[in-house]
Amino acid sequence: MTDLPLRTVALTGEESAEVDDLLRTLADVPVDSTVGLLHRTRLAAQELPLRIRAELTGMRLYDSPRALVVTGFGVDDERIGPTPAARPAPDPERTRDLELLLLLHAALLGEAFGWATQQNGRLVHDVLPVPGEETAQMGSSSETELLWHTEDAFHPLRCDYVGLLCLRNHQRAATTVGWPDLSRLTTEDRAVLLEPRYLIRPDTSHTPAQNATGTRSAERFAAIAEMDDAPERVAVLFGDPEDPYLRIDPAYMSPAPGDAAARRAYDTVTALIEDELRHVVLDAGSLLLVDNYQAVHGRKPFAAAYDGRDRWLKRVNITRDLRRSRSARRSATSLLV
Ligand SMILES: NC(=[NH2+])NCCC[C@H](N)C(=O)O
Ligand SMILES: O=C(O)CCC(=O)C(=O)O
Ligand SMILES: [Fe+2]
């Protein structure tokens, strides 16, 4: 395990103040799950500091960097209140500005969307430790490492980018980010990984038990259950065979039974990712954007205290093309898949 750096942009005090001023002009914008919200944030994002706009526009156009950290946003520790002990957070107004901040950046990469089957159907997610889930393979775990993964790897409509904004991380738990150096794969292994020889299942964050107060969309939960009962066969690598994208989540994925070549290629690519896994400790006011087609991410273990001061991140899923999910959304203006 190496400690390779991630591209980081540190905001100046002046830039950070500009962002705060911009947020003040958006005090009337409700954080709901409609395209009206995207419309407002897309327009307002044009007023973010030029350096941020240049970085994120570049990330979208050049497929590089694969992950980016922006540090130095203001987080008012008193204003946000204690880290909630459960989701959804009891007082969403307290973190509304920070959710908008995340959505402004999302608007530079594409369109924010949410899942009817995850985080109670909220557009912006809370990533915080939940009592009883310490060892789950979920963002709400703590004691156990959240193994690196492609976000929602099981789903054909998974995000192009995932955004994580840190509100609090006194425990200094590291987020992991990585990708394989594919030049180290044999031609044969690469060819195998480009074929649909891997079974993938949904992770447990998309179950009704985890979504007690959400939309309770029986139809969407049924679609997830179907993916669990009859797991799809997918490829780990896809796109340009010479410079492919990545879809991998070892906790919920396995080579097809009996396929020894698929197993060998899988173990190799997994080791390549482990080899160059980066660690980034997000501090309050740090934003991490991960290209979900080109990098995996996870989180190292930490000790949750449930004292209102625990680690707390906000998360958003971003797509480059909302139209791809139109048939899975209730209407053209809904953002829930
Ligand atoms: N290896 C995994 N895919 N674990 C699940 C990832 C965490 C999941 N996205 C959540 O919201 O809790
Ligand atoms: O907590 C983190 O740093 C990452 C969380 C994550 O990957 C997730 O919730 O899916
Ligand atoms: Fe994740």
Side-chain angles (χ1 to χ4, degrees):
M1 191 92 66
T2 37
D3 245 318
L4 298 168
L6 277 184
R7 174 153 183 82
T8 301
V9 175
L11 295 184
T12 64
E14 200 177 320
E15 286 168 327
S16 180
E18 270 176 53
V19 175
D20 287 342
D21 288 345
L22 177 57
L23 284 171
R24 270 189 283 277
T25 70
L26 300 171
D28 63 313
V29 179
V31 176
D32 55 19
S33 302
T34 68
V35 294
L37 171 63
L38 296 188
H39 195 165
R40 292 293 302 268
T41 50
R42 175 64 54 84
L43 292 182
Q46 304 313 317
E47 292 169 52
L48 283 169
L50 176 60
R51 228 153 51 96
I52 298 183
R53 284 182 285 138
E55 288 284 344
L56 272 59
T57 303
M59 186 169 170
R60 179 188 157 93
L61 290 174
Y62 298 107
D63 264 6
S64 173
R66 294 170 189 243
L68 173 71
V69 180
V70 184
T71 66
F73 294 105
V75 172
D76 182 338
D77 190 70
E78 274 198 21
R79 165 94 191 102
I80 64 174
T83 304
R87 291 185 321 254
D91 194 356
E93 265 312 295
R94 281 179 171 258
T95 52
R96 195 204 67 106
D97 287 4
L98 294 161
E99 295 192 347
L100 266 182
L101 174 66
L102 186 52
L103 291 166
L104 286 174
H105 290 81
L108 294 172
L109 290 172
E111 272 79 51
F113 71 98
W115 300 100
T117 54
Q118 197 188 44
Q119 295 253 347
N120 301 294
R122 289 185 53 94
L123 182 65
V124 179
H125 300 165
D126 288 294
V127 176
L128 40 80
V130 171
E133 298 179 2
E134 291 82 1
T135 62
Q137 267 310 312
M138 286 195 286
S140 52
S141 67
S142 47
E143 207 179 307
T144 296
E145 175 158 358
L146 177 59
L147 301 172
W148 51 256
H149 54 275
T150 298
E151 192 73 2
D152 301 306
F154 70 98
H155 208 291
L157 297 171
R158 67 193 172 281
C159 62
D160 289 281
Y161 306 95
V162 58
L164 293 166
L165 175 65
C166 181
L167 310 197
R168 184 172 279 153
N169 185 13
H170 302 301
Q171 284 113 332
R172 300 196 62 74
T175 301
T176 55
V177 181
W179 52 87
D181 175 358
L182 295 177
S183 71
R184 293 171 62 194
L185 276 183
T186 62
T187 313
E188 198 198 339
D189 280 349
R190 178 189 290 248
V192 170
L193 292 164
L194 283 157
E195 289 172 1
R197 293 163 73 161
Y198 301 88
L199 297 174
I200 185 136
R201 287 194 163 81
D203 72 72
T204 47
S205 67
H206 289 267
T207 53
Q210 281 289 324
N211 290 277
T213 69
T215 57
R216 309 296 303 172
S217 165
E219 185 198 314
R220 301 314 300 161
F221 283 112
I224 301 282
E226 172 64 21
M227 294 181 192
D228 197 41
D229 292 343
E232 201 190 342
R233 273 180 193 240
V234 301
V236 168
L237 302 179
F238 63 100
D240 177 5
E242 298 305 317
D243 185 15
Y245 294 130
L246 179 70
R247 173 186 200 175
I248 188 165
D249 183 354
Y252 290 94
M253 197 175 192
S254 56
D259 189 339
R263 161 59 63 188
R264 196 199 49 225
Y266 194 68
D267 290 346
T268 306
V269 78
T270 300
L272 290 176
I273 293 172
E274 296 279 349
D275 265 7
E276 298 196 2
L277 203 61
R278 282 119 167 113
H279 290 87
V280 52
V281 176
L282 298 173
D283 294 315
S286 291
L287 168 67
L288 169 64
L289 296 162
V290 179
D291 184 335
N292 198 43
Y293 274 46
Q294 298 202 89
V296 295
H297 67 281
R299 191 217 64 242
K300 300 303 280 184
F302 67 101
Y306 307 123
D307 59 355
R309 307 292 302 154
D310 275 327
R311 185 172 186 269
W312 187 5
L313 313 184
K314 291 281 180 179
R315 180 179 72 198
V316 73
N317 284 277
I318 305 159
T319 178
R320 292 169 62 109
D321 180 7
L322 208 46
R323 232 174 222 190
R324 277 201 302 133
S325 64
R326 176 59 191 88
S327 65
R329 288 180 289 115
R330 271 213 180 123
S331 69
T333 57
S334 162
L335 297 180
L336 294 186
V337 175

